[in-house]
Amino acid sequence: MGMRVLVAGATGAVGRRLVPRLEAAGHEVVGISRRGPRPVDVLDAGAVRRAVAEVGPDAVVHQLTDLGAADGAANNRIRFEGTRNLVDAALAAGVGRIVAQSISWAYAPGDGPADESVPLDSTEEVPRSRIVAGVRALESAVAELPEAVVLRYGILYGPGTWYAPGGAVAAALAGDPGARFLGSTAADDSVSSLVHVDDAAEAAVRALEWPSGAYNVVDDEPAPGRVWLPVLAAALGVPAPARSGGRAPWARGAVNARARALGWSPAHPSWRTGFADRGSGPSGQGV
């Protein structure tokens, strides 16, 4: 049976792929974002409360980010304040279920890919401590709803992301000093997990029926930058970065066994073939 679903961040990289999938699954979808047919500033608590009350959703899907200007502080404000406003509005409207976008690289340091039992990093070193604090605040806030699913996405690539052809990462690899994105082009031993935006969106659809908790939504192949960045560069038609040594202790990647056990499987199981998928659209991320 279809639900009435409010998608917050409906015009973002994941949101644009998510809305048609929800509709195809039989759900009635209302999207809100800063731009679009139903503009709402998520930092305006009153506006968010009115919007959620007007929609009266069965479930809220939180895909809010502020990444257009590659401003980490602005994105963290969305995690803290935007999430708080959305959760308060959902609670006031009697919404029982929320699905929220998080990240899979906030885990404590370790030697192998992390599963969901690994705690979030307790480091006090900035800027990482600020990033993790935002993630912790987001995940804690959404857990106040009776049913809360947190999707810990890998690095998003594909249409609408910084990693799309012509996007910020391609510009950075080509030597453009003005290229802006949050991430690294260091071809070192730091391990990342990635996920195509279509697979991220599909997980959000399925998560409407998952038990509460956190789930890594990543592909099947965590890999060090020295391995995946040259493949990305080749797919983008730009120079590969020079290889270097070293590894951030927290850069360990993640495993997707928990999400797979519930029936989700990535259509792009590896970035090795996913990067070459030319179904890519305009670059840029945001709500």
Side-chain angles (χ1 to χ4, degrees):
M1 182 176 177
M3 299 182 186
R4 185 169 173 82
V5 181
L6 184 146
V7 178
T11 61
V14 177
R16 289 195 298 270
R17 321 295 283 188
L18 171 60
V19 169
R21 281 175 166 78
L22 287 168
E23 292 174 338
H27 301 297
E28 180 185 354
V29 183
V30 178
I32 62 171
S33 63
R34 286 177 302 181
R35 296 174 292 274
R38 189 184 286 263
V40 176
D41 180 358
V42 297
L43 299 179
D44 182 336
V48 176
R49 185 174 291 235
R50 288 190 296 273
V52 176
E54 179 182 336
V55 174
D58 301 305
V60 168
V61 179
H62 174 353
Q63 297 286 352
L64 295 165
T65 61
D66 188 350
L67 296 168
D71 183 339
N75 196 49
N76 228 26
R77 189 179 180 196
I78 293 293
R79 287 181 177 144
F80 276 101
E81 297 179 35
T83 302
R84 183 71 266 162
N85 291 341
L86 188 61
V87 167
D88 286 347
L91 289 169
V95 178
R97 172 164 284 258
I98 190 167
V99 174
Q101 175 186 146
S102 187
I103 58 174
S104 66
W105 58 92
Y107 289 112
D111 292 330
D115 65 22
E116 296 86 352
S117 69
V118 175
L120 298 181
D121 201 343
S122 61
T123 182
E124 296 182 358
E125 294 184 6
V126 294
R128 179 161 171 82
S129 60
R130 295 172 184 160
I131 295 170
V132 179
V135 170
R136 185 175 284 110
L138 180 154
E139 295 190 0
S140 176
V142 300
E144 294 174 22
L145 267 75
E147 299 176 338
V149 174
V150 170
L151 302 178
R152 292 175 175 167
Y153 289 151
I155 294 173
L156 292 167
Y157 72 91
T161 75
W162 288 318
Y163 295 80
V169 173
L173 290 171
D176 180 356
R180 292 180 59 81
F181 69 102
L182 300 179
S184 172
T185 56
D188 60 11
D189 293 321
S190 295
V191 175
S192 296
S193 281
L194 298 101
V195 67
H196 192 281
V197 284
D198 284 340
D199 291 321
E202 182 63 25
V205 175
R206 292 173 177 266
L208 287 172
E209 298 180 355
W210 287 355
S212 295
Y215 299 83
N216 291 332
V217 177
V218 298
D219 73 14
D220 296 342
E221 190 175 0
R226 61 178 169 76
V227 174
W228 69 264
L229 273 164
V231 178
L232 174 67
L236 296 175
V238 295
R243 294 194 178 191
S244 58
R247 169 183 172 263
W250 53 264
R252 56 189 296 183
V255 294
N256 62 19
R258 190 177 190 206
R260 273 189 166 276
L262 291 177
W264 174 83
S265 61
H268 302 81
S270 172
W271 44 268
R272 292 183 188 274
T273 53
F275 289 158
D277 181 352
R278 296 320 243 182
S280 298
S283 62
Q285 288 182 293
V287 298

